[in-house]
Amino acid sequence: MLFAIYLALYIGFVGLNAFAPQAMEITPLAGVNLAILYGFGLIVAALVLALVYAWLCRSNSPAF
């Protein structure tokens, strides 16, 4: 499930680059273009999903 979430985010990034590259040139925040913001967003999403995965693994482990 977590992989599917990340895959959807990544497909959105690649799709935007492939089919609407002019949209990636938009600078919505402090002069930084959307491509950079989306790329950093993917990195942050990967870290958050890794933390969720670790939490799910820990909460399902047997108590010793």
Side-chain angles (χ1 to χ4, degrees):
M1 183 65 172
L2 297 174
F3 177 72
I5 293 169
Y6 190 79
L7 184 63
L9 292 171
Y10 189 74
I11 287 172
F13 180 75
V14 172
L16 205 55
N17 277 308
F19 300 111
Q22 69 280 3
M24 292 302 232
E25 297 174 2
I26 298 170
T27 55
L29 183 65
V32 180
N33 65 15
L34 187 60
I36 299 297
L37 291 174
Y38 203 146
F40 277 119
L42 284 174
I43 294 168
V44 170
L47 293 172
V48 168
L49 290 174
L51 291 172
V52 169
Y53 177 74
W55 180 75
L56 289 172
C57 288
R58 182 181 169 111
S59 65
N60 290 332
S61 64
F64 291 105

